[in-house]
Amino acid sequence: KNEVEQSPQNLTAQEGEFITINCSYSVGISALHWLQQHPGGGIVSLFMLSSGKKKHGRLIATINIQEKHSSLHITASHPRDSAVYICAVNRAHYGGSQGNLIFGKGTKLSVKP
Amino acid sequence: SQTIHQWPATLVQPVGSPLSLECTVEGTSNPNLYWYRQAAGRGLQLLFYSVGIGQISSEVPQNLSASRPQDRQFILSSKKLLLSDSGFYLCAWSPPRQLRFTDTQYFGPGTRLTVL
């Protein structure tokens, strides 16, 4: 079982819909990241969270440390939001042997006009 | 403002050939630098990180190596490529202070490597 699981793997939405992408993790963490990977491959960091909620434009990210779960929400979705969204976590106790930053496999979002 | 460059953008190499991917960062000094690989259908994997010139930490044993000859230059190399080295390689940087993996990392545009 992967230490970081995202759902769904693929998501198709109509323009204007409210979108939720989920991330669950099984290790102790010090922070969680949401990243956006565009079709050409470049990655943009959207949020870094250690608690609570952050908002940037139409994007909202929340984290529940007790439940080991985070969600990324997109309000009023638009075709330009189409991308792969990746969740990544920082291990809380980094031993240096396995790599501190653990990534999920991503959620591919397609927003249709 | 800070910018990060990677080249080449795409690369097709035969098995057994050498590899050199370059990453440079502008607008900051002494950044922490990272190399990641994203194999097809898989998540990103941290390969190497560096806190300073000549200081490289390897996260995954493989036939790749990294070097940091200058403060803002990070190079990923291989003497002999394998088919399994195909993937998308990303360089990233984070703020220049004691290494903290909780800092947001800023990614370059990536290099798509195909080994035939």
Side-chain angles (χ1 to χ4, degrees), chain B residues 21-23 33-35 49-50 56 66-68 73-75:
Chain B
L21 303 181
E22 189 164 342
C23 170
L33 296 172
Y34 312 82
W35 276 112
Y49 67 90
S50 171
I56 308 294
S67 62
R68 186 169 176 174
Q73 183 184 32
F74 206 22
I75 296 172

Side-chain angles (χ1 to χ4, degrees), chain A residues 30-31 33 35 37 39-45 47-48 84 86 90 94 96-105, chain B residues 34 36 38 41-46 49 57-60 88 90 99-110 112:
Chain A
S30 54
H33 304 259
L35 310 167
Q37 185 174 25
I43 287 185
V44 174
S45 176
F47 296 104
M48 184 185 72
V84 175
I86 302 169
N90 292 108
Y94 176 55
S97 61
Q98 296 181 47
N100 178 268
L101 199 59
I102 311 167
F103 292 84
K105 293 187 178 180
Chain B
Y34 312 82
Y36 292 90
Q38 184 179 29
R42 302 180 64 180
L44 286 172
Q45 179 184 40
L46 178 64
Y49 67 90
S57 295
S58 175
E59 291 301 306
V60 181
F88 192 66
L90 283 156
L99 183 67
R100 289 175 51 194
F101 281 92
T102 53
D103 284 326
T104 293
Q105 297 183 17
Y106 302 92
F107 289 84
R112 189 162 300 281

